[in-house]
Amino acid sequence: MQNLGIAITGSGSAVPATSLDNQSLSELVETSDEWVTTRTGIRQRRLALPSESLSVLATAASRQAIASAGIAASDLDLILLATSTSDDLFGTACQIQAELGATKAVAFDLTAACSGFVFGLVTAAQYIKTGVFQNVLLIGADILSRWVDWQDRGTCVLFGDGAGAIVLQASKSDRLLGFALKSDGTQNHQLNLSYAASSQELLPGVNITKGTYQPITMNGKEIYRFAVQKVPEIIDKALFQANLSVDKIDWLILHQANQRILDAVAQRLNIPQHKVISNLAQYGNTSAASIPLALDEAVRQDKIKPNDIIATSGFGAGLTWGAAIFQWGR
């Protein structure tokens, strides 16, 4: 019989060694530890050195995930990299494939900003459920420090760098219990990392654009309002699909954007605080990396046990948001 379910069998994570705390940040921009902590819950963030590329962090996280799943890189059929900050505009997943020696794996990037990991999880699961692939490596990794305006105190206090990865494998029982994904492009302007160009005339009447991406801009109030309203709704939808009540959730792992968002969402869903996993105080908002980074830490701290039911939700630029309910382990 064909295995048409999925199991999440391993996790890994990697962060840069360099950390920047709020006190040090206040030397760069007008802020204070108290201001940042009370508004966001973030105390420090990790920053990639010029020598630390996205592929380096992603490969390190991937090696851990592959080892914890008990497989070899050569067993992988697919590598999905969820990122908005690729080392190469054409994609970085193939570089990671080469670094890992995953010779038979198809590799490509997927971009859905801070929702990238959840969108990637659902995408990876479809390949397994249709019987196309058996072993998939999903990575969420971002180096947002490349694209932050370090003079903009509304955004520079929020973001950090990191990578997290999981291995999904074909399984007789399906451990992905439910999911829901949404997008609303009419709100795209609320959170951007946009291309800005100037016109260049190649020949008379033939104009092209030359430019680069601009730093992140964000309407913090609107993004907060969006998250607090939409995330509980989408988790409810995923729970409905999974045919589960909220009290069956063992752990809530949200995209680590802001402690106030985590608290508000948990409160709306009536999920007690002890079930909410949060590590943003140490890492800040690491975009697509935040959920797998928090997941991997909780697994390694022996908080998350095999068969625990986890509700997760990513939300961010696009605007995009999504939720998935899964059971940990084989």
Side-chain angles (χ1 to χ4, degrees), residues 234-247:
I234 201 113
I235 291 172
D236 269 340
K237 278 199 172 95
L239 280 167
F240 180 78
Q241 201 198 26
N243 199 20
L244 287 173
S245 55
V246 78
D247 57 319

Side-chain angles (χ1 to χ4, degrees), residues 217-265:
T217 60
M218 182 174 81
N219 181 338
K221 281 198 176 80
E222 283 305 314
I223 293 296
Y224 177 85
R225 195 175 298 155
F226 148 74
V228 169
Q229 182 197 345
K230 298 294 188 187
V231 173
E233 276 176 19
I234 201 113
I235 291 172
D236 269 340
K237 278 199 172 95
L239 280 167
F240 180 78
Q241 201 198 26
N243 199 20
L244 287 173
S245 55
V246 78
D247 57 319
K248 293 286 187 284
I249 293 172
D250 294 305
W251 302 103
L252 177 67
I253 309 182
L254 298 177
H255 164 51
Q256 307 283 301
N258 182 316
Q259 191 60 46
R260 285 165 59 208
I261 293 174
L262 270 61
D263 294 344
V265 170

Side-chain angles (χ1 to χ4, degrees), residues 199-208:
S199 176
Q200 183 183 335
E201 190 171 54
L202 283 184
L203 291 165
V206 182
N207 292 297
I208 58 153

